[in-house]
Amino acid sequence: MNNKDIKNIPENVISRLPKYYRYLQSIIAHKEKITSSELSKYVGVSSSLLRHDLHYFGRFGNKGTGYDVKLLYNEICNTLKLNKTYNAVIIGAGSLGSAICRYYSTRNYSIEIKKIFDINPKIIGVKINNIEIQDIDFLQEYLDENPIDIGIICIPEKVSYNICSILTQSGVKALWNFSSSDVNSSDNCVIKNENLIDSLLTLTYRINNE
Amino acid sequence: MNNKDIKNIPENVISRLPKYYRYLQSIIAHKEKITSSELSKYVGVSSSLLRHDLHYFGRFGNKGTGYDVKLLYNEICNTLKLNKTYNAVIIGAGSLGSAICRYYSTRNYSIEIKKIFDINPKIIGVKINNIEIQDIDFLQEYLDENPIDIGIICIPEKVSYNICSILTQSGVKALWNFSSSDVNSSDNCVIKNENLIDSLLTLTYRINNE
DNA sequence: TAGATTGTTAATCGATTAACAATC
DNA sequence: TAGATTGTTAATCGATTAACAATC
């Protein structure tokens, strides 16, 4: 397997890697080996699919005995590129923005929240877990001087379009969008729309039909 | 198409309906007709897929002219069962629980947040958008007396397992789980795991490989 | 060695796209 | 009527599962 093929890996495969990763993380301290059927059971996929997924990236197991937990954990870590730190800013210090700020600033998940930006003068200067809320008017200036990888959008849909343009045009590599209107994908920026309303609406369907 | 077939509709189809629904909602006041190719463009699918999706539920269009916006909106509304109100409780009044409470109590999305439960005595009795925070010790009692459809889990993974059992055994029909450990699916309860860490970890992969 | 489990290909299953007859 | 667009089936594409040789 060489790097040229990396681009062709299906989204579905990528989306399962964090599940494997998190389970391995949770057992790494007290378990040395794990088989594909054990690991797959915890994640809720077939062992065949798990092995098929890993096969995109290399050969990490031992025939007969399974996988070394530490080794497989590190391999998935490398694959997901979690060895470096990603700088992020949150746009919007409302309750959702604050919640996400608290969530990630207290965990160690290779993302570092550098600033929160908001439009409300009353809260500018306030700190959330030692991260300062700054005036949104200084966003452009801040981005010009600081390399930011990820923009986390927690503002209403009506104002999010302009802000997203500023972010993508300033070289931000990914947008994680919690506003209720989807951001269209663009060539130079990875977009992940996290629409909580859509998610809830499928729940109401399933309540009635399962 | 008869109701017996309803159970066999693919998840993928269901997950696109809210996207159609939201776009129709946004134009319902100023647009009367829409074609499959217009609507599909906004949602980011092919027109063929859109028509194929709708075909699972019936025939709502007019050959030659497309779909009546109001009519299609209402049909999707019916399909997703959004005509009734779903009672919900939030477990955990931390920043994420509070954020979700504010989000849904100020919007009109067929879900009604009835109570928030928390373990912290300092905030019990406090109201968020007129919804009271109540002692988690009274959860069982509350559920015995009030029919709740949806439980929204915003507490750490370590305590979420017990709470989820209480909820499912008390007849709650769906769990919307924001804790960082997945809840396993069960026969009598619809589970939707909304793992924000997994979502972020796929973003780091895509930043490096797209 | 015997037993177990991976890595890998082929078979199956399901989802999307293409095509076009029906018809407004 | 002529043009446009749906509804619907068949064709294609992609994802999952099954199977088993390789081998620890």
Side-chain angles (χ1 to χ4, degrees), chain A residues 6 19 22 79-80 84 86 95 102 104 180 182 192 194-196 198-199 204-205 208-209, chain B residues 6 19 22 79-81 84 86 95 102 104 180 182 192 194-196 198-199 204-205 208-209:
Chain A
I6 286 277
K19 308 246 172 228
R22 280 196 296 120
T79 302
L80 289 173
K84 42 179 166 173
Y86 297 85
S95 40
R102 287 206 185 82
Y104 288 102
S180 50
D182 296 351
K192 175 89 183 175
E194 206 77 56
N195 195 307
L196 299 181
D198 289 358
S199 195
T204 57
Y205 175 86
N208 290 282
N209 292 290
Chain B
I6 285 276
K19 306 245 171 228
R22 280 195 296 121
T79 301
L80 289 172
K81 299 291 196 305
K84 42 179 164 171
Y86 297 85
S95 41
R102 286 205 185 84
Y104 288 103
S180 50
D182 295 352
K192 175 90 185 174
E194 206 77 57
N195 195 307
L196 299 183
D198 289 359
S199 196
T204 58
Y205 174 86
N208 290 281
N209 292 290

mmCIF file of all heavy atoms in Angstrom, chain A residues 6 19 22 79-80 84 86 95 102 104 180 182 192 194-196 198-199 204-205 208-209, chain B residues 6 19 22 79-81 84 86 95 102 104 180 182 192 194-196 198-199 204-205 208-209:
data_model
loop_
_atom_site.group_PDB
_atom_site.id
_atom_site.type_symbol
_atom_site.label_atom_id
_atom_site.label_comp_id
_atom_site.label_asym_id
_atom_site.label_seq_id
_atom_site.Cartn_x
_atom_site.Cartn_y
_atom_site.Cartn_z
ATOM 1 N N ILE A 6 -4.019 6.792 -0.946
ATOM 2 C CA ILE A 6 -4.695 7.307 0.240
ATOM 3 C C ILE A 6 -5.989 8.068 -0.075
ATOM 4 O O ILE A 6 -6.986 7.909 0.598
ATOM 5 C CB ILE A 6 -3.727 8.225 1.033
ATOM 6 C CG1 ILE A 6 -2.683 7.381 1.758
ATOM 7 C CG2 ILE A 6 -4.475 9.090 2.009
ATOM 8 C CD1 ILE A 6 -3.107 6.814 3.080
ATOM 9 N N LYS A 19 -13.978 5.107 15.935
ATOM 10 C CA LYS A 19 -14.615 4.144 16.844
ATOM 11 C C LYS A 19 -13.601 3.091 17.296
ATOM 12 O O LYS A 19 -13.546 2.736 18.475
ATOM 13 C CB LYS A 19 -15.792 3.445 16.164
ATOM 14 C CG LYS A 19 -16.795 4.388 15.543
ATOM 15 C CD LYS A 19 -18.135 4.324 16.245
ATOM 16 C CE LYS A 19 -19.087 5.406 15.770
ATOM 17 N NZ LYS A 19 -19.722 6.115 16.882
ATOM 18 N N ARG A 22 -11.071 4.904 19.669
ATOM 19 C CA ARG A 22 -11.545 5.175 21.028
ATOM 20 C C ARG A 22 -11.622 3.913 21.864
ATOM 21 O O ARG A 22 -11.309 3.910 23.045
ATOM 22 C CB ARG A 22 -12.918 5.857 20.998
ATOM 23 C CG ARG A 22 -12.846 7.337 20.724
ATOM 24 C CD ARG A 22 -14.154 8.003 21.081
ATOM 25 N NE ARG A 22 -15.261 7.532 20.258
ATOM 26 C CZ ARG A 22 -16.347 6.948 20.721
ATOM 27 N NH1 ARG A 22 -16.516 6.754 22.018
ATOM 28 N NH2 ARG A 22 -17.294 6.554 19.891
ATOM 29 N N THR A 79 -2.728 7.218 11.069
ATOM 30 C CA THR A 79 -3.603 7.328 9.909
ATOM 31 C C THR A 79 -4.510 8.553 10.014
ATOM 32 O O THR A 79 -4.679 9.294 9.057
ATOM 33 C CB THR A 79 -4.473 6.059 9.784
ATOM 34 O OG1 THR A 79 -3.602 4.932 9.673
ATOM 35 C CG2 THR A 79 -5.377 6.132 8.578
ATOM 36 N N LEU A 80 -5.072 8.761 11.193
ATOM 37 C CA LEU A 80 -5.967 9.908 11.392
ATOM 38 C C LEU A 80 -5.191 11.208 11.588
ATOM 39 O O LEU A 80 -5.791 12.271 11.729
ATOM 40 C CB LEU A 80 -6.895 9.659 12.585
ATOM 41 C CG LEU A 80 -7.984 8.612 12.418
ATOM 42 C CD1 LEU A 80 -8.697 8.361 13.737
ATOM 43 C CD2 LEU A 80 -8.998 9.058 11.365
ATOM 44 N N LYS A 84 -0.262 15.550 15.605
ATOM 45 C CA LYS A 84 0.010 16.981 15.712
ATOM 46 C C LYS A 84 -1.173 17.704 16.360
ATOM 47 O O LYS A 84 -2.242 17.134 16.544
ATOM 48 C CB LYS A 84 0.333 17.565 14.345
ATOM 49 C CG LYS A 84 -0.517 17.089 13.192
ATOM 50 C CD LYS A 84 -0.080 17.783 11.899
ATOM 51 C CE LYS A 84 -0.646 17.122 10.660
ATOM 52 N NZ LYS A 84 -0.363 17.880 9.431
ATOM 53 N N TYR A 86 -3.954 20.705 16.266
ATOM 54 C CA TYR A 86 -4.686 21.545 15.320
ATOM 55 C C TYR A 86 -5.203 22.776 16.050
ATOM 56 O O TYR A 86 -5.879 22.659 17.072
ATOM 57 C CB TYR A 86 -5.845 20.755 14.719
ATOM 58 C CG TYR A 86 -5.361 19.573 13.918
ATOM 59 C CD1 TYR A 86 -5.070 18.360 14.541
ATOM 60 C CD2 TYR A 86 -5.147 19.678 12.549
ATOM 61 C CE1 TYR A 86 -4.585 17.280 13.810
ATOM 62 C CE2 TYR A 86 -4.659 18.602 11.817
ATOM 63 C CZ TYR A 86 -4.382 17.409 12.447
ATOM 64 O OH TYR A 86 -3.908 16.345 11.734
ATOM 65 N N SER A 95 -24.425 29.622 24.118
ATOM 66 C CA SER A 95 -24.303 28.431 24.956
ATOM 67 C C SER A 95 -23.662 27.260 24.214
ATOM 68 O O SER A 95 -22.864 26.530 24.795
ATOM 69 C CB SER A 95 -25.647 28.041 25.567
ATOM 70 O OG SER A 95 -26.679 28.193 24.649
ATOM 71 N N ARG A 102 -15.639 24.413 26.373
ATOM 72 C CA ARG A 102 -15.348 23.694 27.615
ATOM 73 C C ARG A 102 -15.004 22.252 27.345
ATOM 74 O O ARG A 102 -14.087 21.683 27.922
ATOM 75 C CB ARG A 102 -16.570 23.751 28.552
ATOM 76 C CG ARG A 102 -16.760 25.088 29.163
ATOM 77 C CD ARG A 102 -17.483 25.043 30.498
ATOM 78 N NE ARG A 102 -17.701 26.411 30.936
ATOM 79 C CZ ARG A 102 -18.706 27.181 30.516
ATOM 80 N NH1 ARG A 102 -19.622 26.693 29.692
ATOM 81 N NH2 ARG A 102 -18.807 28.418 30.927
ATOM 82 N N TYR A 104 -13.703 20.719 24.664
ATOM 83 C CA TYR A 104 -12.405 20.401 24.072
ATOM 84 C C TYR A 104 -11.221 20.992 24.800
ATOM 85 O O TYR A 104 -10.107 20.484 24.669
ATOM 86 C CB TYR A 104 -12.374 20.795 22.600
ATOM 87 C CG TYR A 104 -13.229 19.864 21.808
ATOM 88 C CD1 TYR A 104 -14.494 20.234 21.400
ATOM 89 C CD2 TYR A 104 -12.796 18.570 21.555
ATOM 90 C CE1 TYR A 104 -15.308 19.348 20.725
ATOM 91 C CE2 TYR A 104 -13.604 17.682 20.887
ATOM 92 C CZ TYR A 104 -14.856 18.070 20.475
ATOM 93 O OH TYR A 104 -15.657 17.198 19.824
ATOM 94 N N SER A 180 -27.534 26.109 11.611
ATOM 95 C CA SER A 180 -28.538 25.211 11.054
ATOM 96 C C SER A 180 -28.671 25.289 9.540
ATOM 97 O O SER A 180 -29.512 24.628 8.964
ATOM 98 C CB SER A 180 -29.882 25.420 11.738
ATOM 99 O OG SER A 180 -30.207 26.783 11.747
ATOM 100 N N ASP A 182 -26.591 24.472 6.038
ATOM 101 C CA ASP A 182 -25.400 23.765 5.583
ATOM 102 C C ASP A 182 -24.456 24.702 4.846
ATOM 103 O O ASP A 182 -24.889 25.582 4.106
ATOM 104 C CB ASP A 182 -25.788 22.606 4.654
ATOM 105 C CG ASP A 182 -26.603 21.557 5.396
ATOM 106 O OD1 ASP A 182 -26.699 21.648 6.638
ATOM 107 O OD2 ASP A 182 -27.140 20.648 4.735
ATOM 108 N N LYS A 192 -17.612 20.101 7.447
ATOM 109 C CA LYS A 192 -18.415 19.086 8.141
ATOM 110 C C LYS A 192 -19.630 19.789 8.747
ATOM 111 O O LYS A 192 -19.495 20.543 9.710
ATOM 112 C CB LYS A 192 -17.556 18.434 9.236
ATOM 113 C CG LYS A 192 -18.284 17.448 10.098
ATOM 114 C CD LYS A 192 -18.234 16.050 9.532
ATOM 115 C CE LYS A 192 -19.026 15.085 10.383
ATOM 116 N NZ LYS A 192 -19.091 13.747 9.801
ATOM 117 N N GLU A 194 -22.784 19.789 10.927
ATOM 118 C CA GLU A 194 -23.244 18.996 12.068
ATOM 119 C C GLU A 194 -24.633 19.497 12.430
ATOM 120 O O GLU A 194 -24.817 20.244 13.376
ATOM 121 C CB GLU A 194 -22.275 19.227 13.222
ATOM 122 C CG GLU A 194 -22.185 18.139 14.225
ATOM 123 C CD GLU A 194 -21.362 16.953 13.723
ATOM 124 O OE1 GLU A 194 -20.190 17.116 13.330
ATOM 125 O OE2 GLU A 194 -21.920 15.856 13.751
ATOM 126 N N ASN A 195 -25.589 19.141 11.594
ATOM 127 C CA ASN A 195 -26.911 19.729 11.780
ATOM 128 C C ASN A 195 -27.741 18.974 12.812
ATOM 129 O O ASN A 195 -28.262 17.892 12.558
ATOM 130 C CB ASN A 195 -27.625 19.775 10.438
ATOM 131 C CG ASN A 195 -28.805 20.690 10.502
ATOM 132 O OD1 ASN A 195 -29.638 20.536 11.393
ATOM 133 N ND2 ASN A 195 -28.886 21.647 9.619
ATOM 134 N N LEU A 196 -27.892 19.584 13.970
ATOM 135 C CA LEU A 196 -28.576 18.900 15.068
ATOM 136 C C LEU A 196 -30.072 18.785 14.845
ATOM 137 O O LEU A 196 -30.714 17.878 15.361
ATOM 138 C CB LEU A 196 -28.284 19.610 16.386
ATOM 139 C CG LEU A 196 -26.803 19.651 16.776
ATOM 140 C CD1 LEU A 196 -26.610 20.357 18.111
ATOM 141 C CD2 LEU A 196 -26.216 18.255 16.853
ATOM 142 N N ASP A 198 -31.565 18.196 11.835
ATOM 143 C CA ASP A 198 -31.752 17.026 10.970
ATOM 144 C C ASP A 198 -31.699 15.736 11.770
ATOM 145 O O ASP A 198 -32.483 14.807 11.562
ATOM 146 C CB ASP A 198 -30.659 16.970 9.900
ATOM 147 C CG ASP A 198 -30.842 18.062 8.854
ATOM 148 O OD1 ASP A 198 -31.814 18.817 8.953
ATOM 149 O OD2 ASP A 198 -29.987 18.152 7.953
ATOM 150 N N SER A 199 -30.738 15.694 12.663
ATOM 151 C CA SER A 199 -30.536 14.512 13.463
ATOM 152 C C SER A 199 -31.773 14.211 14.313
ATOM 153 O O SER A 199 -32.230 13.070 14.410
ATOM 154 C CB SER A 199 -29.331 14.779 14.359
ATOM 155 O OG SER A 199 -28.856 13.608 14.904
ATOM 156 N N THR A 204 -37.580 11.350 15.240
ATOM 157 C CA THR A 204 -39.047 11.308 15.323
ATOM 158 C C THR A 204 -39.601 10.274 14.335
ATOM 159 O O THR A 204 -40.533 9.553 14.652
ATOM 160 C CB THR A 204 -39.674 12.688 15.036
ATOM 161 O OG1 THR A 204 -39.259 13.137 13.746
ATOM 162 C CG2 THR A 204 -39.253 13.700 16.093
ATOM 163 N N TYR A 205 -38.997 10.198 13.152
ATOM 164 C CA TYR A 205 -39.433 9.174 12.209
ATOM 165 C C TYR A 205 -39.253 7.784 12.797
ATOM 166 O O TYR A 205 -40.162 6.950 12.780
ATOM 167 C CB TYR A 205 -38.656 9.275 10.888
ATOM 168 C CG TYR A 205 -38.982 8.159 9.941
ATOM 169 C CD1 TYR A 205 -40.067 8.242 9.077
ATOM 170 C CD2 TYR A 205 -38.228 6.983 9.946
ATOM 171 C CE1 TYR A 205 -40.382 7.202 8.226
ATOM 172 C CE2 TYR A 205 -38.544 5.936 9.094
ATOM 173 C CZ TYR A 205 -39.625 6.054 8.239
ATOM 174 O OH TYR A 205 -39.954 5.012 7.413
ATOM 175 N N ASN A 208 -41.614 6.327 15.410
ATOM 176 C CA ASN A 208 -42.912 5.865 14.926
ATOM 177 C C ASN A 208 -42.855 4.640 14.030
ATOM 178 O O ASN A 208 -43.882 4.045 13.744
ATOM 179 C CB ASN A 208 -43.592 7.011 14.158
ATOM 180 C CG ASN A 208 -44.031 8.122 15.079
ATOM 181 O OD1 ASN A 208 -45.053 8.013 15.746
ATOM 182 N ND2 ASN A 208 -43.240 9.183 15.143
ATOM 183 N N ASN A 209 -41.668 4.274 13.563
ATOM 184 C CA ASN A 209 -41.607 3.215 12.557
ATOM 185 C C ASN A 209 -40.687 2.046 12.879
ATOM 186 O O ASN A 209 -40.387 1.244 12.017
ATOM 187 C CB ASN A 209 -41.204 3.820 11.208
ATOM 188 C CG ASN A 209 -42.274 4.717 10.636
ATOM 189 O OD1 ASN A 209 -43.326 4.247 10.220
ATOM 190 N ND2 ASN A 209 -42.034 6.002 10.662
ATOM 191 N N ILE B 6 -43.409 0.368 5.007
ATOM 192 C CA ILE B 6 -42.735 1.494 5.664
ATOM 193 C C ILE B 6 -41.454 1.065 6.374
ATOM 194 O O ILE B 6 -40.450 1.751 6.317
ATOM 195 C CB ILE B 6 -43.703 2.162 6.673
ATOM 196 C CG1 ILE B 6 -44.749 2.988 5.909
ATOM 197 C CG2 ILE B 6 -42.937 3.051 7.645
ATOM 198 C CD1 ILE B 6 -44.334 4.365 5.512
ATOM 199 N N LYS B 19 -33.370 17.289 5.173
ATOM 200 C CA LYS B 19 -32.726 18.289 4.314
ATOM 201 C C LYS B 19 -33.742 18.862 3.325
ATOM 202 O O LYS B 19 -33.797 20.067 3.117
ATOM 203 C CB LYS B 19 -31.558 17.678 3.526
ATOM 204 C CG LYS B 19 -30.543 16.972 4.398
ATOM 205 C CD LYS B 19 -29.202 17.654 4.376
ATOM 206 C CE LYS B 19 -28.267 17.065 5.403
ATOM 207 N NZ LYS B 19 -27.595 18.062 6.213
ATOM 208 N N ARG B 22 -36.251 21.035 5.389
ATOM 209 C CA ARG B 22 -35.775 22.357 5.802
ATOM 210 C C ARG B 22 -35.698 23.328 4.645
ATOM 211 O O ARG B 22 -36.008 24.507 4.780
ATOM 212 C CB ARG B 22 -34.406 22.238 6.468
ATOM 213 C CG ARG B 22 -34.460 21.806 7.905
ATOM 214 C CD ARG B 22 -33.143 22.069 8.590
ATOM 215 N NE ARG B 22 -32.058 21.296 8.021
ATOM 216 C CZ ARG B 22 -30.971 21.817 7.486
ATOM 217 N NH1 ARG B 22 -30.794 23.116 7.450
ATOM 218 N NH2 ARG B 22 -30.033 21.025 6.973
ATOM 219 N N THR B 79 -44.638 12.277 6.799
ATOM 220 C CA THR B 79 -43.770 11.105 6.766
ATOM 221 C C THR B 79 -42.859 11.069 7.984
ATOM 222 O O THR B 79 -42.692 10.033 8.623
ATOM 223 C CB THR B 79 -42.906 11.118 5.484
ATOM 224 O OG1 THR B 79 -43.769 11.130 4.352
ATOM 225 C CG2 THR B 79 -42.010 9.891 5.420
ATOM 226 N N LEU B 80 -42.292 12.212 8.309
ATOM 227 C CA LEU B 80 -41.390 12.282 9.467
ATOM 228 C C LEU B 80 -42.162 12.336 10.789
ATOM 229 O O LEU B 80 -41.552 12.368 11.861
ATOM 230 C CB LEU B 80 -40.466 13.499 9.357
ATOM 231 C CG LEU B 80 -39.369 13.448 8.287
ATOM 232 C CD1 LEU B 80 -38.661 14.786 8.169
ATOM 233 C CD2 LEU B 80 -38.360 12.350 8.602
ATOM 234 N N LYS B 81 -43.482 12.354 10.706
ATOM 235 C CA LYS B 81 -44.345 12.399 11.893
ATOM 236 C C LYS B 81 -44.066 13.626 12.768
ATOM 237 O O LYS B 81 -43.888 13.518 13.992
ATOM 238 C CB LYS B 81 -44.180 11.117 12.730
ATOM 239 C CG LYS B 81 -44.560 9.838 12.007
ATOM 240 C CD LYS B 81 -46.043 9.729 11.761
ATOM 241 C CE LYS B 81 -46.468 8.317 11.408
ATOM 242 N NZ LYS B 81 -45.734 7.741 10.268
ATOM 243 N N LYS B 84 -47.043 15.880 15.557
ATOM 244 C CA LYS B 84 -47.311 15.831 16.986
ATOM 245 C C LYS B 84 -46.132 16.388 17.773
ATOM 246 O O LYS B 84 -45.062 16.637 17.227
ATOM 247 C CB LYS B 84 -47.633 14.410 17.431
ATOM 248 C CG LYS B 84 -46.790 13.312 16.836
ATOM 249 C CD LYS B 84 -47.250 11.952 17.410
ATOM 250 C CE LYS B 84 -46.734 10.797 16.577
ATOM 251 N NZ LYS B 84 -46.984 9.495 17.211
ATOM 252 N N TYR B 86 -43.341 15.950 20.735
ATOM 253 C CA TYR B 86 -42.619 14.921 21.463
ATOM 254 C C TYR B 86 -42.087 15.503 22.764
ATOM 255 O O TYR B 86 -41.410 16.530 22.748
ATOM 256 C CB TYR B 86 -41.472 14.394 20.609
ATOM 257 C CG TYR B 86 -41.966 13.733 19.345
ATOM 258 C CD1 TYR B 86 -42.248 14.480 18.216
ATOM 259 C CD2 TYR B 86 -42.196 12.360 19.311
ATOM 260 C CE1 TYR B 86 -42.742 13.873 17.064
ATOM 261 C CE2 TYR B 86 -42.676 11.752 18.169
ATOM 262 C CZ TYR B 86 -42.960 12.513 17.040
ATOM 263 O OH TYR B 86 -43.455 11.912 15.908
ATOM 264 N N SER B 95 -22.784 22.690 30.320
ATOM 265 C CA SER B 95 -22.913 23.650 29.218
ATOM 266 C C SER B 95 -23.566 23.040 27.992
ATOM 267 O O SER B 95 -24.368 23.697 27.334
ATOM 268 C CB SER B 95 -21.571 24.306 28.893
ATOM 269 O OG SER B 95 -20.529 23.387 28.939
ATOM 270 N N ARG B 102 -31.595 25.547 25.448
ATOM 271 C CA ARG B 102 -31.879 26.872 24.869
ATOM 272 C C ARG B 102 -32.237 26.753 23.394
ATOM 273 O O ARG B 102 -33.142 27.400 22.888
ATOM 274 C CB ARG B 102 -30.656 27.781 25.003
ATOM 275 C CG ARG B 102 -30.455 28.267 26.400
ATOM 276 C CD ARG B 102 -29.694 29.579 26.492
ATOM 277 N NE ARG B 102 -29.467 29.860 27.908
ATOM 278 C CZ ARG B 102 -28.463 29.353 28.609
ATOM 279 N NH1 ARG B 102 -27.569 28.577 28.031
ATOM 280 N NH2 ARG B 102 -28.350 29.625 29.895
ATOM 281 N N TYR B 104 -33.546 24.269 21.606
ATOM 282 C CA TYR B 104 -34.841 23.716 21.235
ATOM 283 C C TYR B 104 -36.025 24.398 21.907
ATOM 284 O O TYR B 104 -37.139 24.308 21.406
ATOM 285 C CB TYR B 104 -34.870 22.208 21.473
ATOM 286 C CG TYR B 104 -34.030 21.517 20.453
ATOM 287 C CD1 TYR B 104 -32.774 21.035 20.768
ATOM 288 C CD2 TYR B 104 -34.467 21.423 19.139
ATOM 289 C CE1 TYR B 104 -31.977 20.454 19.806
ATOM 290 C CE2 TYR B 104 -33.674 20.846 18.169
ATOM 291 C CZ TYR B 104 -32.429 20.362 18.511
ATOM 292 O OH TYR B 104 -31.641 19.804 17.557
ATOM 293 N N SER B 180 -19.780 10.617 25.468
ATOM 294 C CA SER B 180 -18.771 10.160 24.517
ATOM 295 C C SER B 180 -18.641 8.640 24.434
ATOM 296 O O SER B 180 -17.802 8.136 23.702
ATOM 297 C CB SER B 180 -17.419 10.810 24.806
ATOM 298 O OG SER B 180 -17.097 10.680 26.155
ATOM 299 N N ASP B 182 -20.757 5.249 23.235
ATOM 300 C CA ASP B 182 -21.954 4.886 22.500
ATOM 301 C C ASP B 182 -22.901 4.055 23.356
ATOM 302 O O ASP B 182 -22.470 3.213 24.141
ATOM 303 C CB ASP B 182 -21.579 4.080 21.247
ATOM 304 C CG ASP B 182 -20.774 4.929 20.272
ATOM 305 O OD1 ASP B 182 -20.650 6.144 20.493
ATOM 306 O OD2 ASP B 182 -20.272 4.366 19.291
ATOM 307 N N LYS B 192 -29.758 7.180 19.122
ATOM 308 C CA LYS B 192 -28.952 7.974 18.179
ATOM 309 C C LYS B 192 -27.729 8.497 18.925
ATOM 310 O O LYS B 192 -27.860 9.363 19.804
ATOM 311 C CB LYS B 192 -29.798 9.129 17.655
ATOM 312 C CG LYS B 192 -29.075 10.103 16.775
ATOM 313 C CD LYS B 192 -29.155 9.717 15.323
ATOM 314 C CE LYS B 192 -28.334 10.636 14.450
ATOM 315 N NZ LYS B 192 -28.276 10.200 13.049
ATOM 316 N N GLU B 194 -24.553 10.644 19.161
ATOM 317 C CA GLU B 194 -24.084 11.856 18.486
ATOM 318 C C GLU B 194 -22.690 12.151 19.019
ATOM 319 O O GLU B 194 -22.501 13.016 19.858
ATOM 320 C CB GLU B 194 -25.047 12.990 18.847
ATOM 321 C CG GLU B 194 -25.140 14.112 17.864
ATOM 322 C CD GLU B 194 -25.969 13.742 16.646
ATOM 323 O OE1 GLU B 194 -27.136 13.356 16.805
ATOM 324 O OE2 GLU B 194 -25.427 13.847 15.554
ATOM 325 N N ASN B 195 -21.734 11.361 18.537
ATOM 326 C CA ASN B 195 -20.418 11.467 19.147
ATOM 327 C C ASN B 195 -19.571 12.574 18.514
ATOM 328 O O ASN B 195 -19.057 12.443 17.409
ATOM 329 C CB ASN B 195 -19.705 10.122 19.036
ATOM 330 C CG ASN B 195 -18.520 10.092 19.955
ATOM 331 O OD1 ASN B 195 -17.677 10.979 19.900
ATOM 332 N ND2 ASN B 195 -18.467 9.116 20.838
ATOM 333 N N LEU B 196 -19.420 13.654 19.237
ATOM 334 C CA LEU B 196 -18.731 14.821 18.679
ATOM 335 C C LEU B 196 -17.234 14.605 18.526
ATOM 336 O O LEU B 196 -16.596 15.212 17.675
ATOM 337 C CB LEU B 196 -19.014 16.051 19.535
ATOM 338 C CG LEU B 196 -20.493 16.457 19.619
ATOM 339 C CD1 LEU B 196 -20.661 17.726 20.436
ATOM 340 C CD2 LEU B 196 -21.090 16.651 18.238
ATOM 341 N N ASP B 198 -15.768 11.669 17.581
ATOM 342 C CA ASP B 198 -15.595 10.927 16.332
ATOM 343 C C ASP B 198 -15.654 11.864 15.133
ATOM 344 O O ASP B 198 -14.878 11.751 14.187
ATOM 345 C CB ASP B 198 -16.702 9.873 16.166
ATOM 346 C CG ASP B 198 -16.516 8.728 17.138
ATOM 347 O OD1 ASP B 198 -15.539 8.754 17.895
ATOM 348 O OD2 ASP B 198 -17.359 7.822 17.138
ATOM 349 N N SER B 199 -16.596 12.756 15.215
ATOM 350 C CA SER B 199 -16.805 13.689 14.121
ATOM 351 C C SER B 199 -15.568 14.560 13.903
ATOM 352 O O SER B 199 -15.131 14.776 12.768
ATOM 353 C CB SER B 199 -18.004 14.553 14.494
ATOM 354 O OG SER B 199 -18.486 15.221 13.386
ATOM 355 N N THR B 204 -9.775 15.770 11.123
ATOM 356 C CA THR B 204 -8.310 15.854 11.082
ATOM 357 C C THR B 204 -7.764 14.977 9.955
ATOM 358 O O THR B 204 -6.829 15.366 9.267
ATOM 359 C CB THR B 204 -7.672 15.423 12.420
ATOM 360 O OG1 THR B 204 -8.064 14.096 12.729
ATOM 361 C CG2 THR B 204 -8.078 16.355 13.541
ATOM 362 N N TYR B 205 -8.370 13.816 9.748
ATOM 363 C CA TYR B 205 -7.945 12.977 8.629
ATOM 364 C C TYR B 205 -8.125 13.707 7.306
ATOM 365 O O TYR B 205 -7.223 13.769 6.474
ATOM 366 C CB TYR B 205 -8.721 11.653 8.597
ATOM 367 C CG TYR B 205 -8.399 10.833 7.367
ATOM 368 C CD1 TYR B 205 -7.321 9.971 7.357
ATOM 369 C CD2 TYR B 205 -9.155 10.965 6.218
ATOM 370 C CE1 TYR B 205 -7.002 9.244 6.225
ATOM 371 C CE2 TYR B 205 -8.843 10.247 5.070
ATOM 372 C CZ TYR B 205 -7.767 9.388 5.078
ATOM 373 O OH TYR B 205 -7.453 8.675 3.947
ATOM 374 N N ASN B 208 -5.760 16.466 6.124
ATOM 375 C CA ASN B 208 -4.471 16.032 5.607
ATOM 376 C C ASN B 208 -4.529 15.280 4.291
ATOM 377 O O ASN B 208 -3.512 15.052 3.659
ATOM 378 C CB ASN B 208 -3.783 15.139 6.649
ATOM 379 C CG ASN B 208 -3.336 15.928 7.862
ATOM 380 O OD1 ASN B 208 -2.327 16.597 7.823
ATOM 381 N ND2 ASN B 208 -4.131 15.888 8.932
ATOM 382 N N ASN B 209 -5.712 14.839 3.887
ATOM 383 C CA ASN B 209 -5.787 13.959 2.729
ATOM 384 C C ASN B 209 -6.719 14.409 1.613
ATOM 385 O O ASN B 209 -7.019 13.617 0.724
ATOM 386 C CB ASN B 209 -6.189 12.552 3.185
ATOM 387 C CG ASN B 209 -5.105 11.893 4.005
ATOM 388 O OD1 ASN B 209 -4.066 11.528 3.486
ATOM 389 N ND2 ASN B 209 -5.329 11.784 5.292
#
